[in-house]
Amino acid sequence: MATTEAPASTTWKIDPVHSSVEFAVKHLMFTTVKGRFADVEGTISIVPNDPSKSSVSATIKAASIDTRTGQRDDHLRSIDFLHAEQYPELTFTSTRIAGDKDKFKVTGQLTIRGVTREVVLEASEEGSGKDPWGGERIGFSATTKLDRRDFGLVWNQAIESGGVVVGNEVKVSIEVQAVRQS
C-alpha cells in the first residue's frame, strides 16, 4: 500500500494587485492620517503542520507611498522621512513564526531607511482555494505597531498648542494574497 507524504514546503508569491500594506499615524495629535504602499512583492514558504519552519520575505518600494496628497507624499519620500532616493526599498525577512494557522506571530527583521529592527506581526490565515484561472491562492492578515523613530524617521515640528505635527506610533495593517508556485 502506497502512502502519500505531505510536501516538505510550498512556495507562494505575493500578488501585489491583491495585497496591501497600509499605515496610520496621528497628525497634529488629534487626527489620523492613513496611507499605503502600492508596490509590494515577496515570497512565503509554508511547511504544512509546522509553522516554525515556514518563512516570509517581502520588499516594498519606498517611492510607492500614497496618502492621497501629492505634497505630503513627496515630503514622505524626502530626506526628512523615507529618503526614497537613497533607500528605495523597505524589506522584511522573518526569523521566527509561532502559533497555528488561525492565529500566529511572525517575528522578523524590518529595514527602513537602512535601519533594521525586530518587529512582531500578529497574523492569521484568512483562507485558501482555487482561482478561476487554475491557480491556488492563500490569504493572510497581519498587524503591528512600531515607533518610527526606531528607524531614523525623526522629523517633526512642535505645535503651538503643545504636541507635535506627526505622531511617533505607526499602526501597520497588511493584507496578503499569494499564488502557489510550481
Side-chain angles (χ1 to χ4, degrees), residues 133-155:
W133 309 280
E136 189 176 349
R137 293 179 179 254
I138 192 166
F140 295 98
S141 293
T143 60
T144 194
K145 293 179 184 176
L146 53 92
D147 187 324
R148 65 187 183 88
R149 297 170 298 181
D150 291 344
F151 296 91
L153 305 174
V154 296
W155 181 93

Side-chain angles (χ1 to χ4, degrees), residues 23 35-39 60-68 72-74 76-77 82:
F23 61 89
R36 69 183 189 99
F37 290 93
D39 191 344
I60 299 166
K61 300 293 185 193
S64 75
I65 196 165
D66 176 17
T67 63
R68 298 175 308 153
R72 178 173 46 224
D73 295 345
D74 289 344
L76 292 171
R77 290 180 193 110
L82 295 174

Side-chain angles (χ1 to χ4, degrees), residues 21-59:
V21 176
E22 299 175 337
F23 61 89
V25 65
K26 286 291 185 188
H27 181 255
L28 299 176
M29 309 309 295
F30 53 81
T31 58
T32 300
V33 169
K34 295 182 178 183
R36 69 183 189 99
F37 290 93
D39 191 344
V40 58
E41 60 185 40
T43 304
I44 302 166
S45 175
I46 300 173
V47 177
N49 304 318
D50 193 354
S52 69
K53 293 182 180 170
S54 298
S55 64
V56 60
S57 64
T59 301

Side-chain angles (χ1 to χ4, degrees), residues 116-127:
T116 303
R117 297 282 186 257
E118 182 175 89
V119 298
V120 178
L121 303 173
E122 300 286 338
S124 62
E125 181 183 319
E126 298 298 322

Side-chain angles (χ1 to χ4, degrees), residues 153-165:
L153 305 174
V154 296
W155 181 93
N156 226 331
Q157 287 184 334
I159 53 177
E160 188 175 314
S161 60
V164 291
V165 172

